[in-house]
Amino acid sequence: MDIISILTKEEKDFLKKYNLSPSDFYDARGESVTVYHDKAKAAGCQFVINSCQYGHRLKDRSGHCIVCKPAYMTYQRRESGGGIVYVAISGKYCKVGVTDEKNKSNKESLSDREYRLNSEGGYAGRTGWRTIKSWPLERNVGKVEREAHRLLQQYKTVENYIYSGEKRKAQEVFECPIQTAIDAVKKSIELYK
Ligand SMILES: [Zn+2]
């Protein structure tokens, strides 16, 4: 059945508000999570229509109500949604990261990111970050990022730095040739195509 025709007005508004498409939903009415999880996944749907104890029907495919807790959506989207994977460099360091400001053009969202990387002393305590390559992806942006980080594990440098007066750890910085970082991203994209 067509998903649109089973959505209520409130549900349609919810989808609109969070920029979701009816095609992101699997019709799991009457099914239990042990059944719909795999079926939704096979159908390429992050979310399902089911029921929650508070009368909502929109859930992620692990059974969390996304109306009660929109945060589940953020996680799902970061993992499986679209966005831009990029490689940035500063001196001998490479950073592989993602940016997901979908509503802006790719160029704007990357320059925002570059600005943030270089502001207040810079990411990992370094300035001069330049994005040298980026890949807009339709889906799985978080998975691609994680896989690329895994492939680059041996080059990882964890640096403590201060940002906005807070001590932070730079987890995404690698000391490797640029090409190695680029190849890791390309390989990861292939894996989750
Ligand atoms: Zn709910």
Side-chain angles (χ1 to χ4, degrees):
M1 193 190 291
D2 186 10
I3 291 291
I4 287 199
S5 66
I6 59 175
L7 292 173
T8 64
K9 166 85 170 66
E10 286 77 23
E11 288 166 348
K12 282 179 190 160
D13 289 347
F14 183 88
L15 265 60
K16 209 169 175 186
K17 180 175 173 194
Y18 288 100
N19 207 7
L20 302 171
S21 152
S23 63
D24 297 329
F25 287 82
Y26 167 80
D27 182 2
R29 288 176 299 170
E31 293 180 0
S32 69
V33 63
T34 49
V35 174
Y36 67 65
H37 179 274
D38 291 355
K39 282 170 125 184
K41 195 170 177 185
C45 298
Q46 293 310 314
F47 305 106
V48 301
I49 298 178
N50 194 249
S51 62
C52 110
Q53 56 177 320
Y54 301 107
H56 307 132
R57 301 196 303 170
L58 309 178
K59 292 175 155 184
D60 71 13
R61 65 183 181 216
S62 302
H64 303 112
C65 176
I66 57 175
V67 181
C68 287
K69 282 221 164 107
Y72 283 113
M73 214 160 25
T74 316
Y75 174 75
Q76 286 278 0
R77 283 165 112 186
R78 188 172 151 78
E79 273 295 285
S80 309
I84 301 165
V85 184
Y86 65 86
V87 173
I89 56 163
S90 170
K92 61 181 178 177
Y93 297 107
C94 292
K95 177 180 192 297
V96 175
V98 304
T99 184
D100 60 1
E101 292 98 302
K102 264 194 189 164
N103 299 329
K104 300 176 190 169
S105 72
N106 292 350
K107 214 177 148 194
E108 274 174 8
S109 103
L110 277 174
S111 60
D112 278 6
R113 181 73 186 200
E114 222 161 63
Y115 173 77
R116 283 202 302 279
L117 283 173
N118 290 310
S119 66
E120 299 195 43
Y123 184 77
R126 305 182 60 83
T127 52
W129 287 104
R130 262 188 317 127
T131 303
I132 48 158
K133 201 153 174 53
S134 62
W135 299 259
L137 301 181
E138 288 287 313
R139 58 177 186 271
N140 289 334
V141 70
K143 287 178 188 155
V144 167
E145 180 190 36
R146 194 145 36 82
E147 175 64 9
H149 287 170
R150 197 186 64 77
L151 292 172
L152 295 169
Q153 191 67 32
Q154 59 179 305
Y155 305 107
K156 189 168 175 171
T157 64
V158 177
E159 309 218 331
N160 290 308
Y161 68 107
I162 307 287
Y163 189 88
S164 289
E166 255 176 58
K167 201 169 170 190
R168 290 199 190 174
K169 259 184 193 164
Q171 298 281 11
E172 303 175 337
V173 174
F174 305 91
E175 198 176 333
C176 66
I178 298 167
Q179 195 56 46
T180 306
I182 290 174
D183 289 346
V185 175
K186 282 185 174 166
K187 238 183 182 168
S188 308
I189 291 172
E190 275 305 305
L191 187 65
Y192 288 109
K193 237 168 146 176

